[in-house]
């Protein structure tokens, strides 16, 4: 469709990927790193895929890129939930300067970790 | 255009640093999850550079497999069976 | 039966979009595989307790929800990028507990995914009506205020879409 729009989307996507990876290195504990992973890197890659769509228009490549973007937008938060819950049950503590941890305080949340209804 | 590939490869090296240095196993799992998403981006830009759409197919397959792998690792961290 | 038809149509349309051609061979292969999947694997999908019938009003609310959602996603990205790049990293993380009023499974799933993709919040677990949310910058310690900040802005839309 338009190559300029595609390039702009590529630049935004690449920058957000870079910010996400810097966050992965800098942030103090796993839950904060997951924040950077699910937000910056997901949206950065989605922007790159949208850029491919704007570059090539309604061709095979553009439609596949759109499908892939939708797929990533659905699966990435799901993987983040699974990883956050898994690491909490695994026993990773929050960063020592964290303000509160209601999940560890609530006995029911800790005990019923695996058996509750899946959402 | 090749510049974008280099930016993403640099991001991959940051992820690899976290895979090597992460103090706990979940940290390494998060880094591997991000690595999968970055590879999808690299494949997409490569498809645009080369103008061939089968690289996008690789990206879709990679996204699928990366998701399944992450879920499997998360279940393993919970210490539970895979059939729940 | 309706469930099988839905799965058949969704898989077939996805296949046709992925191949992006209407050759007879592609269509025949797609129909065969979609039929096999809908017959063999339809019992793996959760069936909803309550029948939610399709209405154009729901679709309209969904289309209205998408731009609002994307606005929050973009805002979230700038927020997290600012916190990451700031030399002192202004973060006050913690896990808070908020209550949702949504009842259906699909509604809760969409709520949890929306929360994960928006400013500094990440759903850790759902127990009944309670959501455990990891928040990168806790701005208030009052649970009521937290619920209002995290959940209410999406519940307005999701209740109209799914209930």
């Amino acid at each position: 469709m338009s190559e300029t729009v595609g390039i702009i989307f590529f630049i935004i996507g690449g920058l957000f990927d870079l910010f996400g990876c810097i966050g992965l290195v800098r942030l103090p504990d796993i839950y904060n790193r997951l924040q950077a992973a699910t937000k910056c890197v997901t949206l950065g890659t989605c922007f790159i895929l949208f850029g491919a769509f704007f570059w090539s228009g309604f061709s095979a490549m553009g439609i596949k890129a759109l499908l892939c973007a939708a797929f990533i937008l659905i699966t990435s938060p799901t993987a983040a939930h699974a990883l956050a819950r898994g690491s909490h049950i695994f026993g990773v503590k929050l960063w020592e300067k964290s303000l509160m941890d209601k999940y560890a305080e609530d006995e029911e949340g800790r005990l019923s970790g695996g058996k509750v209804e899946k959402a | 255009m090749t510049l974008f590939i280099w930016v993403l490869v640099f991001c991959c090296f940051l992820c690899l640093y976290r895979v090597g240095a992460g103090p706990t196993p979940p940290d390494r799992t998060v880094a591997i999850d991000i690595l999968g998403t970055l590879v999808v981006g690299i494949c997409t830009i490569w498809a645009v550079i080369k103008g061939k759409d089968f690289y996008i197919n690789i990206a879709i397959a990679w996204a699928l497999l990366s998701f399944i792998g992450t879920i499997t690792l998360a279940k393993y961290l919970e210490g539970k069976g895979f059939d729940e | 039966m309706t469930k099988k038809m839905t799965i058949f149509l969704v898989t077939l349309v996805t296949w046709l979009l992925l191949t992006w051609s209407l050759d007879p061979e592609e269509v025949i292969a797609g129909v065969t595989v979609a039929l096999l999947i809908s017959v063999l694997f339809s019992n793996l999908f959760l069936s909803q307790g309550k029948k939610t019938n399709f209405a154009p009003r729901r679709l309209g609310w969904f289309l209205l929800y998408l731009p609002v959602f994307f606005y929050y996603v973009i805002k979230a990205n700038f927020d997290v990028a600012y916190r990451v790049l700031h030399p002192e990293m202004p973060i006050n993380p913690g896990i808070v507990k908020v209550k949702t009023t949504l009842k259906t499974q699909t509604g809760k799933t969409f709520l949890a995914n929306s929360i994960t993709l928006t400013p500094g919040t990440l759903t850790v677990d759902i127990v009944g009506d309670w959501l455990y949310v990891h928040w990168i910058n806790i701005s208030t310690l009052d649970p009521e205020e937290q619920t209002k900040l995290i959940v209410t802005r999406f519940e307005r839309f999701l209740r109209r879409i799914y209930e």
Side-chain angles (χ1 to χ4, degrees):
Chain A
M1 220 184 303
S2 162
E3 303 201 343
T4 327
V5 182
I7 292 267
I8 291 170
F9 270 70
F10 284 153
I11 292 172
I12 299 174
L15 277 179
F16 272 125
D17 273 2
L18 192 61
F19 294 159
C21 287
I22 291 172
L24 184 72
V25 171
R26 280 196 73 196
L27 288 170
D29 74 346
I30 176 171
Y31 305 99
N32 292 313
R33 286 179 200 139
L34 265 175
Q35 301 263 9
T38 51
K39 290 174 190 52
C40 289
V41 178
T42 304
L43 197 83
T45 308
C46 276
F47 264 112
I48 291 177
L49 287 161
F50 283 138
F53 169 70
F54 280 117
W55 184 285
S56 58
F58 285 95
S59 64
M61 194 198 284
I63 295 296
K64 280 176 196 172
L66 273 190
L67 273 177
C68 195
F71 185 76
I72 283 181
L73 270 181
I74 293 172
T75 57
S76 162
T78 317
H81 301 163
L83 271 176
R85 211 178 67 166
S87 48
H88 208 288
I89 293 172
F90 184 78
V92 181
K93 294 278 183 297
L94 268 75
W95 189 37
E96 62 263 30
K97 285 184 196 158
S98 300
L99 291 179
M100 56 173 82
D101 188 358
K102 282 273 164 55
Y103 191 49
E105 284 169 23
D106 282 9
E107 203 65 17
E108 59 161 18
R110 194 184 261 283
L111 288 180
S112 64
K115 299 177 204 71
V116 235
E117 48 187 311
K118 290 265 167 45
Chain B
M1 285 303 285
T2 354
L3 180 71
F4 296 117
I5 299 271
W6 285 113
V7 169
L8 289 178
V9 167
F10 178 67
C11 292
C12 287
F13 274 104
L14 290 179
C15 281
L16 283 178
Y17 164 75
R18 184 47 72 192
V19 171
T24 58
D27 286 305
R28 299 172 214 269
T29 315
V30 173
I32 288 172
D33 183 30
I34 298 186
L35 204 57
T37 316
L38 287 175
V39 169
V40 174
I42 292 178
C43 285
T44 312
I45 292 181
W46 198 247
V48 169
I49 291 175
K50 293 289 170 189
K52 301 234 167 67
D53 63 334
F54 68 85
Y55 288 110
I56 295 262
N57 295 355
I58 299 173
I60 292 175
W62 200 292
L64 275 161
L65 287 177
S66 159
F67 171 64
I68 293 170
T70 311
I71 292 288
T72 313
L73 282 170
K75 280 287 173 193
Y76 162 73
L77 289 173
E78 280 184 34
K80 295 214 169 63
F82 296 129
D83 55 345
E84 290 187 47
Chain C
M1 198 57 215
T2 332
K3 197 164 73 176
K4 282 182 185 169
M5 277 305 290
T6 317
I7 293 171
F8 175 75
L9 282 179
V10 168
T11 40
L12 185 61
V13 168
T14 314
W15 168 263
L16 288 180
L17 283 179
L18 274 178
T19 53
W20 198 245
S21 72
L22 282 174
D23 287 347
E25 296 121 38
E26 306 274 16
V27 175
I28 288 169
V31 167
T32 317
V33 176
L35 205 63
L36 272 177
I37 287 173
S38 57
V39 169
L40 288 180
F41 298 114
S42 65
N43 55 343
L44 287 180
F45 290 84
L46 292 172
S47 56
Q48 296 223 325
K50 195 179 61 165
K51 261 276 197 286
T52 47
N53 45 352
F54 181 80
R57 192 169 46 85
R58 293 175 194 278
L59 192 66
W61 277 109
F62 186 69
L63 291 181
L64 200 64
Y65 172 66
L66 280 181
V68 177
F69 176 62
F70 270 103
Y71 166 70
Y72 280 123
V73 170
I74 305 278
K75 217 173 86 178
N77 276 275
F78 280 107
D79 186 63
V80 174
Y82 164 74
R83 288 182 202 290
V84 164
L85 294 178
H86 197 282
E88 289 159 16
M89 279 202 297
I91 56 174
N92 300 302
I95 296 181
V96 299
K97 186 181 179 186
V98 293
K99 190 172 173 34
T100 173
T101 54
L102 295 176
K103 291 284 175 284
T104 55
Q105 293 277 332
T106 329
K108 278 181 194 166
T109 310
F110 262 78
L111 180 66
N113 277 8
S114 305
I115 285 176
T116 300
L117 280 173
T118 46
T121 50
L122 168 79
T123 318
V124 178
D125 202 354
I126 300 182
V127 179
D129 279 347
W130 295 96
L131 290 162
Y132 293 90
V133 176
H134 181 268
W135 200 354
I136 203 171
N137 189 30
I138 295 180
S139 51
T140 166
L141 291 174
D142 179 30
E144 298 277 321
E145 200 71 17
Q146 289 169 351
T147 311
K148 211 164 147 191
L149 277 174
I150 297 179
V151 173
T152 311
R153 58 186 177 203
F154 299 122
E155 266 185 353
R156 277 185 314 210
F157 290 94
L158 290 172
R159 188 178 302 119
R160 292 192 176 101
I161 296 171
Y162 291 108
E163 288 179 11

